Amino acid sequence: MKQGLTFLALLALAAAAIWYSLEPRFPVRQGLDLQGGMRVTLEPDDTKPDGKNVPGETIEKVRSVIENRVNSFGLSGTEVRRKGERQILVLLPGAKDPQKALEVLQTVAQLEFRHLNNVVTAQNPDRPFKMTVIPGDATKGETDTYQFSDATTNQKVETEKVLEGTELILKGDALKPTSRAEIDPGKGQPIVTFEFNAEGAQRFASFTTENVNEILAVVLDKRVITAPNINEPITEGTGTISGGFKNMAEGKVLANLLNSGALPVPLRAAETQYVGATLGRESVDQSIRAGLIGLGLVLLFMVGYYWLPGVLACIALIFYTAFTFSIFKGVGIFDPIVLDLPGITGFILSVGMAVDANVLIFERIKEEVRAGRPARQAIDVGFNRAFSSILDSNVTTWIVCGILVWLGAPIIKGFAITLAIGVAVSMFTAITVTRTMLLMLTSMEWARNPALYAPNVGWLYLFFPAARQGGILRVFQNRKIYFGISIATSIIALLFALGTFFGYGLKPGIDFTGGSVVEAAYRDKSVTREQVLGVLTKNGIHDPVVSLGRSEQPWTTVKIEAKSADATTENRLREALGSIRAFDPEAFKATKTGETISADGTFTVPVTQAEIEAALRPLNLKEQKLTVATVPHTGGDAVPVAVITTRQLKPDQLTTLRKDLATIGGGIITPMYQENSIGPSVAGEVTLNAFASVLVASLAIILYLSFRFAIGGFINGLKFGLCAVLALVHDVGIVIGLFALMGALRGWQVDSLFVTACLTVLGFSVHDTIVVYDRIRENLRHRLKGETFADVSDRSITQTFDRSVNTSFTVLLVVAALVFFGGESIRLFNTALLVGIAIGTYSSIFVASPMVVVLERWAATSMPPPPPSGTVRRDETPRVRREPAPVRTASAGDTATDEETPSAEPRTPTGSVRPNPGGIRPRKKRRL
């Protein structure tokens, strides 16, 4: 009854989570990979005097100004936060013109009202400079231009020199944050209206009253926007700026800059990343497809290997997915988690890890069933005894995730957060959902059949048949072979890694070296690599790395027909379609015949008709007809994409390069264009944090395991922690060696994602080690007569062999699917995970556990000699050394029996001790 009520409560919670996950009113917070946009890290420009030695309070003011400017963009999911002591990180998902947005963010926007008291006027003809106004053609979007010359020689004079000798009247901080852009009804030109605060209005009124017929210049960042004559006093405290805008958009930019305030210091971009919605979306779609394949393989394995419990684990995965995704969306309480490509990868990986807890529990249940316990009792014992392994393995993963959030690059924080949440939810579903369903089923007679729990299915029985008769894997006895394999492999890996210092080996990516990466997709499928190299040479870029790939992402086309169109309908249609991700503005065409308009639009990602209808709904078009079609780009129709890696380029260089790249291959496809530029300061930070994160993670794992396995005190537990970390260093070292080899052979690069993969390997590989260590801890408390520490270790390895393999195997299924079917941009990341987790499984069984025995023996021989015979210290109990009876070594093909493996207590077929209530052995009757 109790289990039934619990299951109903869980079912109701899952139903609510599924509804919340699918409800469109609570959207997912999409990252740059899903909708495109910009990520930029800004820092004071120390090449300029004002950018040096900037205090912390000034950086905080910079952050506030940047946040105000970002808010004016009208984008959702933006983020502005401090990064370290001198940097500001800005995320702009969905930014349509990232380059323009960066210009706005970097603009100092120092507005000044200056009295041109050194410029000739009618009443002061003897001043040193003359001003000439060249009016712009407003119909062509031209602005007025102000030029200055020497009044005596008529030689041109720079504007800055003229401004140096002028009188500063007011600054932009004297304005209220109410500036706005409007159209001058008289001239039809954009203007910006502004209003002074009380102090500014008084100062401005006094100045204009005293200086009628003088010239007042409005200066923005040392550029004269307008310089009108003061015809009469201005006492209302308001004014307008006109003549300096090409279009209404420029007017709005200035109004937003005035409202957000001026930057106190000049800024430069230490790192920029422009992500096109198409290429990122393509990688996401591929990763989701690969994740579904991996999930299907995991479900098939769980059912085929664990039978009835495996079926329930598959059902629990549905609960897990619903709970996890609703948490990602914030469950209506917290801010939603930003889902980008690394975050989605973390979620997919956590699905593979979600069954880890079930594996540990099911293997323990199978062990208890083989020991003769009834099914229901076996379930209770299995859950209780597996909990410590589940807790310890999950805590180590949380430790690594916490370090990634603390020291990791911004791009990998999403991975760490989603993985940490996934591990927590998987622990909850295994302990509650799976257990509740198992206990419910065992109330039925048919579900108590031991055969339904697959007690005789296992890798150990497959590769070591002697285990069926209680044979023990003698890992420690063969330790020299296993240690020799690991040492030889590690030396080879080290040699490959050391080759980095001699020009081959590891290939650091721009995350470590700094540089720029540009991805440009072309309309003409015949574009060549030589054409791209020609453009780079023209821009003075030498020795770049250029590759030409293909994108098979399907596109979407839409044809719109409507009536009652006016002169503004075409622009309104363009803006409406442009609000949808991956809209191609160059491909938009519209034809107006009378009151009927026909328009064609293109999106470089799949877009639904419902999305297009929602975007067009505010236009209220009459007799609207839509025709939406999907255009495949496979085989010969794939879109060519050039990937360019070079030294770091400045923003103006990137702008020039983009314009020149658009002159070849029929032009670039705007929504498929991406840029990523990393400066030396960010590269140095990434390098430092990479070493620091590995060191901190290793120390944290050592301390935690030392505490948890302090069976004979903290120092004794330290042996377990040190051996676990040595095995992890072995795992990561081999991964590094592999990437050094492939870096030399295939040009594989290491970047922030590679560091993330190595840290994930640290956290995950220790899972299997903890499983074995946990059983060693348990068996030491119930040591058999005559059993040495090495015997305890070997018995523990034998008992946990299947669960050590399966906890890794389920994750490897998902990671392998991501490697072979996932997105190209994270393939190397997943490859590092695949190799690291596989090596970690080997080291947990054949390296970490034997090393603990070696340390234990070394510690025993290093202890001082015992006191003389017959004396016992008061704080000790006498010890009697028992020589272990010979135990036969299990190997493939052996058919050892229980009689050939003697012990003081009855054993189960896997070598575990049969249960003894209370842990107390019965007394023998005394003879009378």
Side-chain angles (χ1 to χ4, degrees), residues 20 42 93 100 184 256 383 528 825 923:
Y20 181 76
L42 300 171
K100 186 65 177 178
D184 186 344
N256 292 332
F383 273 90
T528 64
S825 59
R923 285 186 180 178

Side-chain angles (χ1 to χ4, degrees), residues 330-368:
V331 295
I333 302 174
F334 312 104
D335 290 334
I337 294 173
V338 177
L339 282 183
D340 52 11
L341 185 55
I344 292 173
T345 303
F347 172 62
I348 293 172
L349 184 62
S350 72
V351 171
M353 298 175 67
V355 297
D356 279 5
N358 286 315
V359 166
L360 297 177
I361 293 166
F362 295 165
E363 286 294 336
R364 195 66 195 237
I365 290 174
K366 289 168 66 173
E367 189 176 333
E368 300 301 329

